[in-house]
Amino acid sequence: MANTETALKEATTVIDGALGAALVDYSSGMALGTIGGGKDLDLAVAAAGNTDVVRAKVRTMEMLGLNEEIEDILITLGTQYHLIRLLKGRGANGLFLYLALDKQRANLAMARHQLRKIEAELEV
């Protein structure tokens, strides 16, 4: 089992094209841990903003009566992918992993696969 720091470090070193990653509590919008980012990618701002995305999608699914769980949410920009993976399991309710990727260097399918693996090994 990996702790937050180890999981985030793995996300940015193992996943090709990773620009930054965060573990976020979407009930508060606070990042519980971050790695990477920079002047063009403020992970604290991204954590808070993506919290609104997650809340909106959860609310919409409830209104539609969809009895499904969100695996991940993908936001595609001109030069980046932003991947949000809601965590499942004991102690992980209300948390998501956020990963920003360089679109030119990333393999989206592989990034999703590796993020799923990191989630499975993460102990919160």
Side-chain angles (χ1 to χ4, degrees):
M1 290 295 194
N3 65 20
T4 301
E5 182 181 343
T6 303
L8 294 176
K9 187 177 286 186
E10 184 177 351
T12 57
T13 56
V14 172
I15 300 174
D16 290 336
L19 301 171
L23 177 65
V24 183
D25 174 356
Y26 69 82
S27 61
S28 69
M30 298 296 294
L32 304 178
T34 63
I35 190 167
K39 68 178 184 73
D40 295 329
L41 180 61
D42 184 329
L43 290 171
V45 172
N50 285 305
T51 292
D52 292 336
V53 171
V54 171
R55 287 179 186 160
K57 188 60 188 171
V58 168
R59 206 171 34 250
T60 301
M61 289 179 60
E62 288 171 357
M63 290 187 305
L64 291 171
L66 296 176
N67 193 18
E68 296 276 347
E69 289 186 352
I70 299 170
E71 287 184 16
D72 51 37
I73 299 169
L74 172 65
I75 300 167
T76 305
L77 305 176
T79 61
Q80 297 177 358
Y81 294 123
H82 292 229
L83 190 56
I84 300 166
R85 178 146 187 98
L86 276 69
L87 301 186
K88 317 264 184 299
R90 185 175 50 89
N93 195 25
L95 301 178
F96 67 86
L97 283 168
Y98 166 72
L99 179 66
L101 300 161
D102 179 322
K103 200 173 181 181
Q104 295 297 315
R105 296 183 4 226
N107 176 324
L108 185 56
M110 187 58 74
R112 289 184 68 222
H113 173 73
Q114 290 170 320
L115 199 57
R116 187 178 315 118
K117 182 180 171 198
I118 290 167
E119 173 201 0
E121 296 171 359
L122 178 62
E123 184 173 297
V124 183

